[in-house]
Amino acid sequence: MSDNIRVLVIEDDTITAEAHAEYVRRLDGFALVGVAHNGSEAMTFLGSGAEPVDLVLLDMNLPDIHGLDIIRRIRGAGLPTDVIAITAVRELHIVRAAISSGIVQYLIKPFTYSAFSDKLANYRSFRQNLVAQASSTTQSEVDNALAALRPPAQGSLPKGLSDETLKGVILMLKRGGTAVSAVEVAADLALSRVTARRYLEYLADQESARRAPRYGTRGRPEFEYSWIS
C-alpha cells in the first residue's frame, strides 16, 4: 500500500464515481483510499489526515463547492496532493483557471478506460521521475518529469511505430530497473522480436534508453537496453 499512489475520487454522480473508483482499482501502482460525492465530504476527508492522499480525481461540477474552489482550498491548506480534473466542463476560462491552479492533467468526459489509464500512467511516470531524484535536481531531470505528463506529439514517431506500444516498452524499461533485450520485450508485450527491437532502437536513438552489448550469449551478438533516468 505504501508504494502505491493513494487516490481520492471526488464525483457527485454515484454511478460515475463508482466507475472511476473501479478504474483506479484496476491500475497497477494505484490504491483507492476514498470516494467523496461533494466538496464538503472531500475537504473533510482531506483535512482529517486519517488517510494520506497523493492524487485527487476531481469533478468540477459539484453540488456545493466548485472544483476550482476545491483546488484553491487544497493549495491553501498546504496539502501535498496533486489534482487531475475529470469533468465535462469545456469552457476555456475554466480550463485555464484549473491549469493556473496547478492541476497535472485535464480529462474531459466522456472518455474511454484507455484514455483514463493513459492519463494516470503518465502521471505515475511524472511522479516516479521526481521521487527518484535527490533533494536537488537538474534541468534535464525536470524536463523529463514534465514531459511524462504530455503524450508524444502526433506524427512524431517513425512510420510503423505507435504511441501505445511505445508507452508499453517505456513502462517495461522503467519497471524492471534492469537491462532487457528485444527478445524479453517481445515476450512481455506480445510483439515480434523485430518490432520490439525497432522500439528499443528508437528509444536509444532518442537517448532515452542506453544500448549496450549483452555478453555471455551464444550465436549472434545481442544488445540490451536500460532506461536512462
Side-chain angles (χ1 to χ4, degrees):
M1 179 72 169
S2 59
D3 294 333
N4 289 329
I5 296 170
R6 295 160 295 201
V7 181
L8 172 65
V9 171
I10 307 176
E11 166 65 56
D12 64 314
D13 182 82
T14 303
I15 295 175
T16 302
E18 181 52 37
H20 294 174
E22 182 58 28
Y23 283 176
V24 173
R25 295 187 190 103
R26 290 167 57 183
L27 291 173
D28 291 335
F30 293 87
L32 180 73
V33 296
V35 175
H37 296 290
N38 56 57
S40 296
E41 285 182 13
M43 294 312 302
T44 298
F45 189 100
L46 290 166
S48 69
E51 189 73 62
V53 176
D54 301 312
L55 176 66
V56 162
L57 304 184
L58 176 65
D59 182 22
M60 296 303 238
N61 287 327
L62 298 171
D64 56 344
I65 306 173
H66 194 275
L68 290 176
D69 291 324
I70 294 290
I71 300 172
R72 295 185 187 110
R73 294 187 187 191
I74 289 173
R75 299 290 172 251
L79 298 173
T81 303
D82 290 321
V83 178
I84 294 179
I86 299 184
T87 178
V89 174
R90 298 168 179 261
E91 287 79 5
L92 186 56
H93 71 283
I94 299 294
V95 176
R96 284 177 172 170
I99 293 172
S100 297
S101 298
I103 65 166
V104 292
Q105 298 277 12
Y106 198 103
L107 183 57
I108 297 177
K109 301 174 182 175
F111 52 83
T112 64
Y113 172 73
S114 176
F116 180 94
S117 62
D118 283 349
K119 291 292 186 187
L120 268 68
N122 290 342
Y123 169 75
R124 182 177 58 198
S125 295
F126 160 76
R127 186 180 178 86
Q128 288 173 339
N129 284 339
L130 290 182
V131 170
Q133 308 309 324
S135 57
S136 62
T137 188
T138 66
Q139 183 64 58
S140 62
E141 289 165 347
V142 171
D143 290 343
N144 287 338
L146 293 175
L149 293 173
R150 301 187 296 270
Q154 293 297 317
S156 63
L157 295 179
K159 185 177 180 180
L161 301 188
S162 74
D163 291 340
E164 292 301 314
T165 303
L166 180 63
K167 288 177 185 176
V169 174
I170 291 172
L171 287 175
M172 182 178 176
L173 289 174
K174 290 182 176 181
R175 182 178 69 238
T178 58
V180 296
S181 68
V183 173
E184 292 161 342
V185 171
D188 189 81
L189 300 178
L191 304 172
S192 71
R193 184 171 63 177
V194 172
T195 298
R197 185 182 296 113
R198 285 194 64 200
Y199 283 95
L200 291 167
E201 286 295 316
Y202 170 78
L203 291 171
D205 291 342
Q206 296 296 310
E207 298 184 349
S208 295
R210 184 179 293 106
R211 180 199 302 113
R214 172 171 286 185
Y215 298 102
T217 58
R218 296 181 179 180
R220 295 177 59 187
E222 186 176 10
F223 287 99
E224 60 182 16
Y225 303 80
S226 57
W227 187 252
I228 299 175
S229 57

